[in-house]
Amino acid sequence: MKKLLMTVLIMGTAITLPAQENKWFENVMIGGFGIVQYQASDQDGNEKNSFDLRMARVALEGRSFNDFYWKAQMQVSGTTKDDNTAIRLIDLFVEWKKYKVAKVKVGQFKRPFTFENPINPVAQGFMSSSQGISKLAGSNDRTGEQASNGRDIGFQLQGDLLSNAKNYALLSYQIGVFNGQGINTKDVDQRKDIIGGLWVSPVKGVRIGIFGWTGSRGIEESDANGDKHVSSLSKNRYALSGEYAAKGWVVRSEYIHSQGFGKNRNLGDKADAYYAQVIVPIGDKWRQKARYDVYREEKKWSTSKTFYEIGADYHFTKKLRMNLEYARVNDRSISSGVSQHNYNLVDAQLDILF
């Protein structure tokens, strides 16, 4: 926490410089959020019943010279472990936004893969990202790279290729080149990840898209003689996505397919995931929600994990929200020695925005 506060103080001091001396720090905003969590589970042999500080984030962002947008964001995870994941820099980028058809982003930021991955934890709407996003978009990736919140270091080009008379985007794209190792990490195998997406929006609120990803995660290993060498775990993935989001409604479904061995090479080189969700506004304060979420570690039903989720949110104010959720879980990947493959999970979260 001290490291985070020191970083914020240094960044805050920088932005107090007179605008005429340093225009990179004009129109600066500071904000963030914290999530307090309670979760209980009756999973056989892994029962849970605990409060937790899920995460806290602090971000500085602003515009410079009218055409540039920049952001720096730190995250503190709710953990007592003394490692590099407890406090970490997750975003640091600048984006040139002069032309709507071709915006250029450089630094560390979200990978352009799926509709869900770019959504932050508060706006995402459920107790966590879907399993496919976690395992196949770089949050807790199947290849074993460090937890990266769906981010990587690289370069990206994005924009709107076609708009209607009301300047509403009908056809949009993203494509980027990344290290493939996750956040705060240099490339290991000197192979880059290429990730991109293309989607159409025939009417306002509707998006239909396709995404592709090819690349690898490099691993430095030692052989029997103690000599070090670099090997690669391939990542060849695609996603099919559809979404309607308007007037508080969110209906979205995505399918993700992955080819390439994971960290555990005994589990095969194919995996897939899909989810379908709906969020329905009830007045100004309430939202009801449901999600069907499946992940198959070996693209076999014998390795599937399925969440059947229902819940509700209550917005006390724009800055304070309560999220309640119940999930029935069917985990066929549990070892045969465990008797309970089906269990119940209850999750409650309080979102505090500032």
Side-chain angles (χ1 to χ4, degrees):
M1 182 63 75
K2 290 182 180 179
K3 292 180 180 178
L4 175 64
L5 293 176
M6 183 62 69
T7 301
V8 173
L9 287 173
I10 292 172
M11 296 168 72
T13 301
I15 65 176
T16 60
L17 294 173
Q20 63 270 23
E21 294 182 15
N22 197 334
K23 290 184 178 294
W24 276 103
F25 296 105
E26 288 183 333
N27 306 315
V28 174
M29 297 183 293
I30 183 170
F33 62 85
I35 302 177
V36 181
Q37 181 180 46
Y38 169 79
Q39 194 168 94
S41 167
D42 64 356
Q43 181 182 5
D44 187 27
N46 190 29
E47 292 83 359
K48 295 179 181 179
N49 182 356
S50 180
F51 291 98
D52 184 28
L53 299 178
R54 181 183 167 193
M55 71 173 71
R57 291 183 183 175
V58 177
L60 290 175
E61 57 185 321
R63 294 185 178 274
S64 306
F65 305 105
N66 297 319
D67 298 331
F68 290 89
Y69 166 75
W70 59 267
K71 183 175 184 178
Q73 183 170 214
M74 299 288 294
Q75 174 175 305
V76 181
S77 299
T79 178
T80 58
K81 294 180 181 179
D82 184 18
D83 57 26
N84 62 3
T85 65
I87 302 176
R88 53 187 173 167
L89 178 69
I90 59 173
D91 285 303
L92 181 61
F93 66 83
V94 61
E95 184 176 11
W96 184 52
K97 306 183 73 169
K98 184 173 183 178
Y99 300 106
K100 190 176 180 180
V101 70
K103 303 173 184 177
V104 180
K105 184 184 289 188
V106 180
Q108 181 167 283
F109 48 88
K110 285 277 192 178
R111 290 163 163 145
F113 190 69
T114 76
F115 288 154
E116 182 180 340
N117 189 45
I119 304 173
N120 74 49
V122 173
Q124 188 268 338
F126 289 83
M127 70 173 97
S128 63
S129 298
S130 65
Q131 296 177 90
I133 300 304
S134 177
K135 295 293 186 179
L136 303 176
S139 294
N140 186 19
D141 203 271
R142 184 175 187 263
T143 59
E145 71 178 38
Q146 64 174 319
S148 296
N149 298 98
R151 293 166 166 84
D152 204 347
I153 307 172
F155 166 91
Q156 179 175 289
L157 186 67
Q158 64 183 29
D160 300 327
L161 297 176
L162 182 64
S163 301
N164 63 15
K166 296 182 179 179
N167 205 31
Y168 174 73
L170 301 174
L171 179 63
S172 303
Y173 76 96
Q174 291 178 316
I175 186 167
V177 180
F178 303 87
N179 279 342
Q181 298 296 126
I183 62 174
N184 308 324
T185 308
K186 293 182 179 180
D187 203 346
V188 174
D189 61 3
Q190 310 309 310
R191 295 172 56 188
K192 297 296 182 284
D193 283 15
I194 300 175
I195 309 172
L198 182 72
W199 61 91
V200 296
S201 303
V203 295
K204 191 171 184 179
V206 173
R207 294 191 295 172
I208 302 171
I210 183 170
F211 298 84
W213 179 346
T214 184
S216 66
R217 179 208 171 199
I219 305 174
E220 190 174 66
E221 300 176 307
S222 298
D223 58 25
N225 298 322
D227 297 325
K228 292 185 177 180
H229 67 278
V230 174
S231 59
S232 299
L233 294 177
S234 295
K235 292 177 284 187
N236 297 303
R237 298 170 178 172
Y238 68 83
L240 305 175
S241 308
E243 179 186 70
Y244 170 76
K247 299 181 180 180
W249 285 73
V250 180
V251 181
R252 184 170 60 249
S253 183
E254 300 190 273
Y255 172 79
I256 307 171
H257 180 274
S258 176
Q259 184 276 325
F261 286 97
K263 183 179 181 181
N264 184 347
R265 294 175 176 132
N266 295 324
L267 292 179
D269 70 339
K270 289 184 175 62
D272 68 354
Y274 55 93
Y275 73 89
Q277 70 169 60
V278 58
I279 298 175
V280 181
I282 308 296
D284 295 331
K285 298 289 188 178
W286 287 96
R287 300 192 309 170
Q288 294 183 339
K289 58 190 178 182
R291 181 170 67 175
Y292 173 67
D293 179 17
V294 180
Y295 173 66
R296 301 193 298 175
E297 180 71 13
E298 291 187 74
K299 203 179 177 182
K300 299 177 182 178
W301 283 109
S302 59
T303 64
S304 68
K305 187 174 184 179
T306 305
F307 284 77
Y308 304 87
E309 304 169 57
I310 58 171
D313 303 339
Y314 184 76
H315 294 198
F316 297 98
T317 69
K318 291 182 178 180
K319 302 292 185 180
L320 186 63
R321 308 172 184 176
M322 174 64 75
N323 311 301
L324 302 172
E325 197 168 335
Y326 164 78
R328 180 66 172 175
V329 185
N330 174 249
D331 190 350
R332 301 185 187 182
S333 67
I334 296 177
S335 63
S336 58
V338 177
S339 60
Q340 190 175 359
H341 292 262
N342 298 295
Y343 59 91
N344 303 295
L345 188 151
V346 175
D347 183 274
Q349 297 186 27
L350 184 68
D351 302 333
I352 306 165
L353 294 82
F354 57 88

